[in-house]
Amino acid sequence: MAATQAEILDALKTLKLQDGRDVVSADYVRALSIEGTTVRFVLEVPPELGPTMEPLRQAAEKIVSGLDGVEKASVLLTAHGPAQAAPPSKEPPQLKIGGHPKPSADQAPVAGVDRILAIASGKGGVGKSTVSSNLAVALARQGRRVGLLDADIYGPSQPRMMGVNKRPSSPDGKTIIPLKNHGVTIMSIGLMLEEDQAVVWRGPMLMGALQQMLGQVEWGELDVLIVDLPPGTGDVQLTLAQKAKVTGAIVVSTPQDVALLDARKALNMFEKTKTPVLGMIENMSTYICPNCGHEEHLFGHGGAASEAERLGLPFLGEIPLNIDIRLAGDGGTPIAATDSPHAEAYAKIAARLVAGGMA
């Protein structure tokens, strides 16, 4: 039988601090979750205590691991606020992503980048990241100099989809050297973390991370930087709209009514932040059986096109629901990098963007 939250907190109350309080009464225990026999939580300590609290984290992990019904305990240690100064070193400091945003001028351009295209969706699960990676590759195949910024901080998937897994280098501890594959320059928070490591950050940390990935990455000379945004209308979206000179946004939706409801929220957010919407893409638009050739509209059909027409926005194109697209992304080679017939859908959208001067 799995341990309960009450049992875990009672056990952690035995872990005392120097001032006599325990970690529970001091409100250090955050984001406690129980998944079967696995327990995860965060110890969030004051910034001035951060460098000395690793033994506390280890002790907490040991206490919870010893409880009946717990086979694995995973404890993260965070300390928000300015870090203590590091001792002098002859080596460049190790670059870290995350921290509070630095003051900057509103809508500052990104050095060397001509255009910034934000790829957004009102909700998760509509294939926004798949569209982002394939569109980046399709544009690169048409001769454009393309960058891809994975700004989905909590769920970065571009390293897997673009087939990159090395940690970016930082020769001076400040500038980040991005990776490249399939003709695209790539940066993602996922490249700075282990693949299964969770990001446990509040809004200011998210905004600081985005600001770093925009301003500290050595993007080089790019015709277009595609930014794969998180789903929804949160801190990252607002920060990008307010702090970067965004050329425009593209909203991805399935034709399903529920997805379109949330897509309208994303469109409304861009309207409020005065970010031009360049058009809509309908993903998972149709399914063709590979055995008999029968076409089925599993999520409906034409919903995004109708919505774009209603709002007076360009409809950029349809992407089918196809297993080859999924397998290609999971394998690290987006379908747009191949000569598959399914690459043509992305190539047509890329061509429309180039012809319209948007990319």
Side-chain angles (χ1 to χ4, degrees):
M1 183 175 178
T4 66
Q5 181 171 322
E7 290 171 341
I8 294 168
L9 292 176
D10 283 343
L12 288 172
K13 287 178 182 177
T14 63
L15 194 54
K16 301 293 183 180
L17 304 171
Q18 289 185 348
D19 60 8
R21 296 179 299 164
D22 60 77
V23 294
V24 176
S25 63
D27 197 27
Y28 286 0
V29 180
R30 303 290 178 87
L32 175 61
S33 68
I34 304 168
E35 298 176 10
T37 58
T38 299
V39 176
R40 295 183 175 87
F41 60 92
V42 176
L43 285 179
E44 185 175 311
V45 303
E48 65 273 11
L49 299 179
T52 66
M53 299 302 269
E54 175 58 19
L56 182 79
R57 187 200 67 79
Q58 294 177 4
E61 203 165 74
K62 183 176 180 180
I63 288 172
V64 176
S65 296
L67 294 176
D68 290 338
V70 178
E71 293 183 1
K72 180 181 178 182
S74 177
V75 183
L76 292 176
L77 178 66
T78 68
H80 294 295
Q84 292 185 349
S89 172
K90 295 181 181 179
E91 298 296 325
Q94 183 181 8
L95 181 75
K96 292 185 179 181
I97 291 287
H100 288 263
K102 306 296 187 295
S104 67
D106 285 346
Q107 295 193 319
V110 177
V113 176
D114 287 342
R115 305 170 188 84
I116 299 176
L117 296 186
I119 311 295
S121 66
K123 62 177 295 180
V126 300
K128 168 189 52 60
S129 293
T130 299
V131 170
S132 297
S133 58
N134 278 283
L135 190 55
V137 172
L139 286 167
R141 294 190 80 183
Q142 294 187 21
R144 310 306 286 167
R145 298 170 298 178
V146 185
L148 176 61
L149 170 56
D150 186 355
D152 194 346
I153 307 295
Y154 286 131
S157 54
Q158 293 301 346
R160 170 66 66 89
M161 290 183 172
M162 293 295 291
V164 292
N165 55 19
K166 294 181 181 179
R167 185 181 176 90
S169 62
S170 177
D172 58 1
K174 296 179 181 179
T175 303
I176 307 169
I177 308 301
L179 303 183
K180 293 186 178 183
N181 205 12
H182 308 301
V184 178
T185 302
I186 308 156
M187 181 59 199
S188 169
I189 189 70
L191 297 171
M192 311 297 287
L193 306 170
E194 297 296 328
E195 191 172 40
D196 58 352
Q197 184 177 345
V199 176
V200 187
W201 289 345
R202 291 195 174 102
M205 298 279 284
L206 299 176
M207 292 184 282
L210 178 62
Q211 194 177 55
Q212 282 181 273
M213 290 194 293
L214 284 170
Q216 289 182 231
V217 171
E218 191 72 40
W219 288 110
E221 298 296 320
L222 296 179
D223 296 310
V224 58
L225 173 63
I226 290 178
V227 182
D228 178 17
L229 290 172
T233 56
D235 290 320
V236 172
Q237 290 88 337
L238 293 174
T239 299
L240 180 70
Q242 293 169 355
K243 297 298 182 183
K245 199 168 183 179
V246 180
T247 305
I250 296 172
V251 175
V252 178
S253 178
T254 64
Q256 189 177 8
D257 289 344
V258 172
L260 288 166
L261 285 173
D262 290 318
R264 291 182 189 117
K265 297 175 184 176
L267 291 164
N268 182 253
M269 177 196 67
F270 290 124
E271 180 183 356
K272 289 182 176 179
T273 57
K274 295 181 172 57
T275 302
V277 177
L278 304 180
M280 295 185 68
I281 294 173
E282 183 169 288
N283 197 32
M284 307 182 200
S285 181
T286 186
Y287 172 75
I288 298 176
C289 176
N291 295 321
C292 68
H294 173 69
E295 183 173 1
E296 191 74 50
H297 300 138
L298 301 179
F299 299 104
H301 184 255
S306 298
E307 185 68 13
E309 183 179 6
R310 186 181 73 84
L311 297 172
L313 297 172
F315 179 63
L316 298 174
E318 300 177 353
I319 306 296
L321 176 64
N322 184 272
I323 192 171
D324 289 341
I325 296 175
R326 193 271 295 174
L327 291 173
D330 286 350
T333 301
I335 198 81
T338 72
D339 294 324
S340 163
H342 303 297
E344 184 63 23
Y346 294 104
K348 288 180 179 178
I349 295 173
R352 289 189 184 105
L353 293 173
V354 172
M358 296 177 279

